[in-house]
Amino acid sequence: MRVYNFSAGPSTLPLEVLKKAQDEFLDFAGTGMSVTEISHRDKAYEAVVRDAENLTRELLKVPDDYCVIFVQGGASTQFAAVPLNLMHSGKADYIVTGNFAKKAWQEGQLYGEAVKIGDSSDKVYTYIPDVDKLSYTEGADYVHITSNNTIFGTRYVKFPACEAPLVADMSSEIFSREIDVSKFGVIYAGAQKNLAPAGVTIVIAKRSLIQDPLKICPTMLRWKVQDENGSLYNTPPAFSIYMADLVLKNLKEKGGVAAMNEAATYKANLLYDFIDNSKLYKNNVVPEFRSIMNVPFVTGSDELDAKFVSEAKKNGLVSLKGHRLVGGMRASIYNAMPAEGVKALIEFMKKFERENA
Ligand SMILES: *Cc1c(COP(=O)(O)O)cnc(C)c1O
């Protein structure tokens, strides 16, 4: 039996996509081979990479002067790639709104002056600082943000309107939110949250910004090199890109990013409304900044939280344990989580409240 999987990542994928992958697993595109066995130089495979790129361009309305590349190493490797490709003057701004934002800032410090211009750790990252009131560093090479904070369940409502190129880690919300790509210098996202299995990271970058990586930048981390080689500079994470392509096709059939945004808002509202009206559960995020992808909540008792997680599991609602930095529970409700899954969670929460309040 399939469960409703609320894992923050790797996370649930659309059932239709899993079935399609299963159907063609032994014989991909009439080649008589699995997609995991075929050469990445084979025309049949190259078509997959190009399709994934084109669908990304179409679904996110990526301008032509931006590259779309698929790379390895997870979003964490991009924490280094960002300064290595962009930090020419040796200084950049970081807004620290969570654990991954902090890690990106710390990685930036390895390569230059990474200036922390905003920080919401004073209130356990339950809000996003006012981006209009921050002191941006003059001459900074870029401003780095984490648009959706996976662990703490916050998201930017408004993005900084800074002079320096805006660089955003969108790992846990890409393809669920309509964005104007032209307002960003670089967007990157590890796939295993809202797109595909782990192993591939998508990078969308304005080409004019990435022509002159630092001398010490490893070849593999040079976005320019990956772009010039159409994401096939070396052996790519072939299966993950193939899965990403299937998910993107599925997403387009379902109405694209606008439809995903609408569905995500609907699902998140159901859950937040229920939590806000219950006596037992509480979400501590400032409402304005609540994520529509990751919803943390607590009962106020560690013992009851643990009981919740274990009983939910027995009811086919899995991976609801919160991140160790926050405790309690977290429901990640990415694009592939059906509304029925969220409704089933709410029904379980009601029952648990009746029995334990
Ligand atoms: C999960 C996550 C990361 C880390 O991703 P890896 O692929 O494990 O390196 C970075 N940023 C955000 C926002 C994430 O959610």
mmCIF file of all heavy atoms in Angstrom, residues 221-253:
data_model
loop_
_atom_site.group_PDB
_atom_site.id
_atom_site.type_symbol
_atom_site.label_atom_id
_atom_site.label_comp_id
_atom_site.label_asym_id
_atom_site.label_seq_id
_atom_site.Cartn_x
_atom_site.Cartn_y
_atom_site.Cartn_z
ATOM 1 N N LEU A 221 32.528 22.971 -11.362
ATOM 2 C CA LEU A 221 31.624 23.944 -10.736
ATOM 3 C C LEU A 221 31.448 25.201 -11.586
ATOM 4 O O LEU A 221 30.743 26.124 -11.199
ATOM 5 C CB LEU A 221 32.126 24.324 -9.332
ATOM 6 C CG LEU A 221 32.193 23.195 -8.304
ATOM 7 C CD1 LEU A 221 32.459 23.760 -6.905
ATOM 8 C CD2 LEU A 221 30.923 22.377 -8.289
ATOM 9 N N ARG A 222 32.109 25.216 -12.751
ATOM 10 C CA ARG A 222 31.973 26.384 -13.627
ATOM 11 C C ARG A 222 30.657 26.274 -14.393
ATOM 12 O O ARG A 222 30.526 25.438 -15.284
ATOM 13 C CB ARG A 222 33.159 26.470 -14.592
ATOM 14 C CG ARG A 222 34.438 26.771 -13.845
ATOM 15 C CD ARG A 222 35.669 26.805 -14.737
ATOM 16 N NE ARG A 222 36.804 27.093 -13.861
ATOM 17 C CZ ARG A 222 37.701 28.065 -14.078
ATOM 18 N NH1 ARG A 222 37.649 28.782 -15.173
ATOM 19 N NH2 ARG A 222 38.649 28.275 -13.212
ATOM 20 N N TRP A 223 29.717 27.128 -14.031
ATOM 21 C CA TRP A 223 28.403 27.082 -14.685
ATOM 22 C C TRP A 223 28.550 27.297 -16.191
ATOM 23 O O TRP A 223 27.839 26.696 -16.991
ATOM 24 C CB TRP A 223 27.489 28.154 -14.088
ATOM 25 C CG TRP A 223 27.160 27.940 -12.634
ATOM 26 C CD1 TRP A 223 27.037 26.729 -11.993
ATOM 27 C CD2 TRP A 223 26.900 28.939 -11.649
ATOM 28 N NE1 TRP A 223 26.707 26.929 -10.672
ATOM 29 C CE2 TRP A 223 26.614 28.276 -10.430
ATOM 30 C CE3 TRP A 223 26.876 30.334 -11.672
ATOM 31 C CZ2 TRP A 223 26.301 28.967 -9.256
ATOM 32 C CZ3 TRP A 223 26.562 31.018 -10.505
ATOM 33 C CH2 TRP A 223 26.283 30.338 -9.318
ATOM 34 N N LYS A 224 29.500 28.153 -16.552
ATOM 35 C CA LYS A 224 29.748 28.450 -17.971
ATOM 36 C C LYS A 224 30.115 27.171 -18.742
ATOM 37 O O LYS A 224 29.607 26.935 -19.837
ATOM 38 C CB LYS A 224 30.899 29.469 -18.016
ATOM 39 C CG LYS A 224 31.494 29.800 -19.339
ATOM 40 C CD LYS A 224 32.677 30.752 -19.059
ATOM 41 C CE LYS A 224 33.755 30.709 -20.122
ATOM 42 N NZ LYS A 224 33.318 31.297 -21.385
ATOM 43 N N VAL A 225 30.958 26.357 -18.140
ATOM 44 C CA VAL A 225 31.381 25.110 -18.785
ATOM 45 C C VAL A 225 30.190 24.146 -18.911
ATOM 46 O O VAL A 225 29.973 23.527 -19.953
ATOM 47 C CB VAL A 225 32.536 24.443 -17.992
ATOM 48 C CG1 VAL A 225 32.825 23.036 -18.502
ATOM 49 C CG2 VAL A 225 33.780 25.315 -18.054
ATOM 50 N N GLN A 226 29.414 24.058 -17.858
ATOM 51 C CA GLN A 226 28.234 23.185 -17.895
ATOM 52 C C GLN A 226 27.256 23.675 -18.962
ATOM 53 O O GLN A 226 26.667 22.870 -19.696
ATOM 54 C CB GLN A 226 27.547 23.143 -16.525
ATOM 55 C CG GLN A 226 28.411 22.578 -15.400
ATOM 56 C CD GLN A 226 28.684 21.078 -15.521
ATOM 57 O OE1 GLN A 226 28.139 20.390 -16.395
ATOM 58 N NE2 GLN A 226 29.548 20.552 -14.659
ATOM 59 N N ASP A 227 27.111 24.984 -19.051
ATOM 60 C CA ASP A 227 26.198 25.561 -20.048
ATOM 61 C C ASP A 227 26.702 25.275 -21.464
ATOM 62 O O ASP A 227 25.950 24.810 -22.328
ATOM 63 C CB ASP A 227 26.085 27.075 -19.799
ATOM 64 C CG ASP A 227 25.139 27.754 -20.780
ATOM 65 O OD1 ASP A 227 24.193 27.092 -21.261
ATOM 66 O OD2 ASP A 227 25.335 28.963 -21.060
ATOM 67 N N GLU A 228 27.982 25.506 -21.682
ATOM 68 C CA GLU A 228 28.546 25.290 -23.031
ATOM 69 C C GLU A 228 28.431 23.828 -23.469
ATOM 70 O O GLU A 228 28.410 23.530 -24.653
ATOM 71 C CB GLU A 228 30.014 25.730 -23.059
ATOM 72 C CG GLU A 228 30.152 27.252 -23.092
ATOM 73 C CD GLU A 228 31.565 27.738 -22.735
ATOM 74 O OE1 GLU A 228 32.448 26.904 -22.407
ATOM 75 O OE2 GLU A 228 31.763 28.964 -22.774
ATOM 76 N N ASN A 229 28.372 22.947 -22.497
ATOM 77 C CA ASN A 229 28.284 21.516 -22.814
ATOM 78 C C ASN A 229 26.867 20.949 -22.646
ATOM 79 O O ASN A 229 26.695 19.725 -22.615
ATOM 80 C CB ASN A 229 29.276 20.740 -21.950
ATOM 81 C CG ASN A 229 30.714 20.986 -22.389
ATOM 82 O OD1 ASN A 229 31.195 20.362 -23.327
ATOM 83 N ND2 ASN A 229 31.381 21.927 -21.750
ATOM 84 N N GLY A 230 25.898 21.832 -22.527
ATOM 85 C CA GLY A 230 24.516 21.375 -22.430
ATOM 86 C C GLY A 230 24.289 20.386 -21.301
ATOM 87 O O GLY A 230 23.538 19.418 -21.455
ATOM 88 N N SER A 231 24.930 20.621 -20.162
ATOM 89 C CA SER A 231 24.841 19.746 -18.977
ATOM 90 C C SER A 231 25.446 18.360 -19.211
ATOM 91 O O SER A 231 25.224 17.440 -18.428
ATOM 92 C CB SER A 231 23.396 19.581 -18.492
ATOM 93 O OG SER A 231 22.812 20.809 -18.170
ATOM 94 N N LEU A 232 26.208 18.211 -20.317
ATOM 95 C CA LEU A 232 26.825 16.904 -20.606
ATOM 96 C C LEU A 232 28.350 17.022 -20.688
ATOM 97 O O LEU A 232 28.989 16.391 -21.520
ATOM 98 C CB LEU A 232 26.244 16.333 -21.911
ATOM 99 C CG LEU A 232 24.748 15.968 -21.842
ATOM 100 C CD1 LEU A 232 24.163 15.730 -23.229
ATOM 101 C CD2 LEU A 232 24.527 14.756 -20.949
ATOM 102 N N TYR A 233 28.907 17.836 -19.806
ATOM 103 C CA TYR A 233 30.372 17.970 -19.774
ATOM 104 C C TYR A 233 31.008 16.651 -19.355
ATOM 105 O O TYR A 233 31.992 16.203 -19.928
ATOM 106 C CB TYR A 233 30.769 19.081 -18.794
ATOM 107 C CG TYR A 233 32.252 19.149 -18.549
ATOM 108 C CD1 TYR A 233 33.110 19.687 -19.521
ATOM 109 C CD2 TYR A 233 32.800 18.647 -17.367
ATOM 110 C CE1 TYR A 233 34.478 19.730 -19.305
ATOM 111 C CE2 TYR A 233 34.169 18.690 -17.152
ATOM 112 C CZ TYR A 233 35.000 19.225 -18.121
ATOM 113 O OH TYR A 233 36.351 19.253 -17.909
ATOM 114 N N ASN A 234 30.425 16.040 -18.330
ATOM 115 C CA ASN A 234 30.845 14.681 -17.948
ATOM 116 C C ASN A 234 29.566 13.845 -17.793
ATOM 117 O O ASN A 234 28.480 14.304 -18.180
ATOM 118 C CB ASN A 234 31.687 14.697 -16.661
ATOM 119 C CG ASN A 234 30.849 14.982 -15.428
ATOM 120 O OD1 ASN A 234 29.837 15.696 -15.518
ATOM 121 N ND2 ASN A 234 31.232 14.427 -14.302
ATOM 122 N N THR A 235 29.692 12.664 -17.228
ATOM 123 C CA THR A 235 28.509 11.816 -17.074
ATOM 124 C C THR A 235 27.520 12.495 -16.123
ATOM 125 O O THR A 235 27.862 12.757 -14.964
ATOM 126 C CB THR A 235 28.892 10.452 -16.465
ATOM 127 O OG1 THR A 235 30.090 10.008 -17.099
ATOM 128 C CG2 THR A 235 27.788 9.439 -16.649
ATOM 129 N N PRO A 236 26.341 12.785 -16.596
ATOM 130 C CA PRO A 236 25.379 13.470 -15.716
ATOM 131 C C PRO A 236 24.654 12.463 -14.820
ATOM 132 O O PRO A 236 24.761 11.261 -15.044
ATOM 133 C CB PRO A 236 24.400 14.087 -16.715
ATOM 134 C CG PRO A 236 24.395 13.115 -17.861
ATOM 135 C CD PRO A 236 25.785 12.535 -17.937
ATOM 136 N N PRO A 237 23.930 12.938 -13.804
ATOM 137 C CA PRO A 237 23.090 12.032 -13.002
ATOM 138 C C PRO A 237 21.878 11.635 -13.853
ATOM 139 O O PRO A 237 20.792 12.217 -13.751
ATOM 140 C CB PRO A 237 22.700 12.897 -11.797
ATOM 141 C CG PRO A 237 22.790 14.303 -12.271
ATOM 142 C CD PRO A 237 23.818 14.336 -13.371
ATOM 143 N N ALA A 238 22.114 10.645 -14.717
ATOM 144 C CA ALA A 238 21.188 10.365 -15.830
ATOM 145 C C ALA A 238 19.774 10.021 -15.369
ATOM 146 O O ALA A 238 18.792 10.528 -15.917
ATOM 147 C CB ALA A 238 21.763 9.237 -16.686
ATOM 148 N N PHE A 239 19.674 9.154 -14.381
ATOM 149 C CA PHE A 239 18.335 8.729 -13.960
ATOM 150 C C PHE A 239 17.567 9.887 -13.325
ATOM 151 O O PHE A 239 16.370 10.069 -13.580
ATOM 152 C CB PHE A 239 18.421 7.546 -12.983
ATOM 153 C CG PHE A 239 17.074 7.013 -12.603
ATOM 154 C CD1 PHE A 239 16.301 6.323 -13.537
ATOM 155 C CD2 PHE A 239 16.564 7.207 -11.330
ATOM 156 C CE1 PHE A 239 15.033 5.837 -13.203
ATOM 157 C CE2 PHE A 239 15.298 6.727 -10.986
ATOM 158 C CZ PHE A 239 14.542 6.034 -11.922
ATOM 159 N N SER A 240 18.245 10.686 -12.505
ATOM 160 C CA SER A 240 17.556 11.808 -11.843
ATOM 161 C C SER A 240 17.068 12.844 -12.855
ATOM 162 O O SER A 240 15.982 13.400 -12.700
ATOM 163 C CB SER A 240 18.489 12.467 -10.825
ATOM 164 O OG SER A 240 18.803 11.555 -9.805
ATOM 165 N N ILE A 241 17.860 13.091 -13.890
ATOM 166 C CA ILE A 241 17.424 14.057 -14.911
ATOM 167 C C ILE A 241 16.228 13.489 -15.684
ATOM 168 O O ILE A 241 15.261 14.185 -15.976
ATOM 169 C CB ILE A 241 18.574 14.420 -15.881
ATOM 170 C CG1 ILE A 241 19.710 15.114 -15.115
ATOM 171 C CG2 ILE A 241 18.064 15.323 -17.006
ATOM 172 C CD1 ILE A 241 20.939 15.436 -15.970
ATOM 173 N N TYR A 242 16.305 12.193 -15.975
ATOM 174 C CA TYR A 242 15.182 11.512 -16.648
ATOM 175 C C TYR A 242 13.899 11.651 -15.810
ATOM 176 O O TYR A 242 12.835 11.995 -16.330
ATOM 177 C CB TYR A 242 15.566 10.048 -16.861
ATOM 178 C CG TYR A 242 14.417 9.092 -17.048
ATOM 179 C CD1 TYR A 242 13.771 8.971 -18.282
ATOM 180 C CD2 TYR A 242 13.985 8.292 -15.984
ATOM 181 C CE1 TYR A 242 12.714 8.075 -18.434
ATOM 182 C CE2 TYR A 242 12.945 7.398 -16.143
ATOM 183 C CZ TYR A 242 12.309 7.297 -17.357
ATOM 184 O OH TYR A 242 11.269 6.417 -17.511
ATOM 185 N N MET A 243 14.014 11.425 -14.500
ATOM 186 C CA MET A 243 12.843 11.546 -13.621
ATOM 187 C C MET A 243 12.353 12.996 -13.564
ATOM 188 O O MET A 243 11.150 13.253 -13.556
ATOM 189 C CB MET A 243 13.183 11.043 -12.213
ATOM 190 C CG MET A 243 13.352 9.542 -12.107
ATOM 191 S SD MET A 243 11.835 8.609 -12.456
ATOM 192 C CE MET A 243 10.900 8.940 -10.958
ATOM 193 N N ALA A 244 13.290 13.924 -13.526
ATOM 194 C CA ALA A 244 12.914 15.347 -13.523
ATOM 195 C C ALA A 244 12.115 15.669 -14.785
ATOM 196 O O ALA A 244 11.094 16.367 -14.741
ATOM 197 C CB ALA A 244 14.155 16.231 -13.428
ATOM 198 N N ASP A 245 12.569 15.121 -15.904
ATOM 199 C CA ASP A 245 11.872 15.359 -17.171
ATOM 200 C C ASP A 245 10.437 14.819 -17.112
ATOM 201 O O ASP A 245 9.489 15.497 -17.535
ATOM 202 C CB ASP A 245 12.663 14.709 -18.313
ATOM 203 C CG ASP A 245 12.032 14.970 -19.674
ATOM 204 O OD1 ASP A 245 11.654 16.136 -19.940
ATOM 205 O OD2 ASP A 245 11.906 14.021 -20.470
ATOM 206 N N LEU A 246 10.274 13.621 -16.564
ATOM 207 C CA LEU A 246 8.922 13.045 -16.441
ATOM 208 C C LEU A 246 8.043 13.903 -15.524
ATOM 209 O O LEU A 246 6.864 14.131 -15.810
ATOM 210 C CB LEU A 246 8.980 11.616 -15.889
ATOM 211 C CG LEU A 246 9.601 10.513 -16.773
ATOM 212 C CD1 LEU A 246 9.427 9.156 -16.087
ATOM 213 C CD2 LEU A 246 8.987 10.485 -18.163
ATOM 214 N N VAL A 247 8.629 14.375 -14.425
ATOM 215 C CA VAL A 247 7.852 15.211 -13.495
ATOM 216 C C VAL A 247 7.452 16.524 -14.177
ATOM 217 O O VAL A 247 6.317 16.985 -14.052
ATOM 218 C CB VAL A 247 8.638 15.493 -12.189
ATOM 219 C CG1 VAL A 247 7.921 16.541 -11.331
ATOM 220 C CG2 VAL A 247 8.817 14.208 -11.383
ATOM 221 N N LEU A 248 8.366 17.102 -14.943
ATOM 222 C CA LEU A 248 8.057 18.374 -15.613
ATOM 223 C C LEU A 248 6.962 18.203 -16.658
ATOM 224 O O LEU A 248 6.086 19.064 -16.808
ATOM 225 C CB LEU A 248 9.331 18.960 -16.235
ATOM 226 C CG LEU A 248 10.376 19.437 -15.211
ATOM 227 C CD1 LEU A 248 11.687 19.801 -15.893
ATOM 228 C CD2 LEU A 248 9.860 20.628 -14.410
ATOM 229 N N LYS A 249 6.992 17.082 -17.375
ATOM 230 C CA LYS A 249 5.919 16.792 -18.348
ATOM 231 C C LYS A 249 4.587 16.693 -17.613
ATOM 232 O O LYS A 249 3.570 17.230 -18.054
ATOM 233 C CB LYS A 249 6.191 15.445 -19.039
ATOM 234 C CG LYS A 249 7.250 15.485 -20.130
ATOM 235 C CD LYS A 249 7.183 14.143 -20.904
ATOM 236 C CE LYS A 249 8.111 14.123 -22.093
ATOM 237 N NZ LYS A 249 9.385 13.451 -21.788
ATOM 238 N N ASN A 250 4.603 15.986 -16.494
ATOM 239 C CA ASN A 250 3.406 15.789 -15.683
ATOM 240 C C ASN A 250 2.885 17.134 -15.152
ATOM 241 O O ASN A 250 1.679 17.409 -15.171
ATOM 242 C CB ASN A 250 3.779 14.837 -14.530
ATOM 243 C CG ASN A 250 2.619 14.518 -13.631
ATOM 244 O OD1 ASN A 250 2.488 15.091 -12.561
ATOM 245 N ND2 ASN A 250 1.753 13.608 -14.058
ATOM 246 N N LEU A 251 3.826 17.964 -14.743
ATOM 247 C CA LEU A 251 3.481 19.283 -14.207
ATOM 248 C C LEU A 251 2.834 20.173 -15.278
ATOM 249 O O LEU A 251 1.861 20.882 -15.018
ATOM 250 C CB LEU A 251 4.791 19.905 -13.734
ATOM 251 C CG LEU A 251 4.817 20.841 -12.560
ATOM 252 C CD1 LEU A 251 6.140 20.667 -11.842
ATOM 253 C CD2 LEU A 251 4.681 22.253 -13.037
ATOM 254 N N LYS A 252 3.354 20.057 -16.478
ATOM 255 C CA LYS A 252 2.786 20.835 -17.579
ATOM 256 C C LYS A 252 1.358 20.375 -17.872
ATOM 257 O O LYS A 252 0.457 21.193 -18.051
ATOM 258 C CB LYS A 252 3.668 20.678 -18.825
ATOM 259 C CG LYS A 252 3.253 21.571 -19.970
ATOM 260 C CD LYS A 252 4.156 21.423 -21.173
ATOM 261 C CE LYS A 252 3.502 22.048 -22.395
ATOM 262 N NZ LYS A 252 4.312 21.862 -23.603
ATOM 263 N N GLU A 253 1.157 19.053 -17.886
ATOM 264 C CA GLU A 253 -0.195 18.500 -18.111
ATOM 265 C C GLU A 253 -1.179 18.982 -17.051
ATOM 266 O O GLU A 253 -2.351 19.166 -17.323
ATOM 267 C CB GLU A 253 -0.164 16.965 -18.045
ATOM 268 C CG GLU A 253 0.281 16.292 -19.318
ATOM 269 C CD GLU A 253 0.579 14.801 -19.100
ATOM 270 O OE1 GLU A 253 0.039 14.215 -18.134
ATOM 271 O OE2 GLU A 253 1.374 14.251 -19.892
#
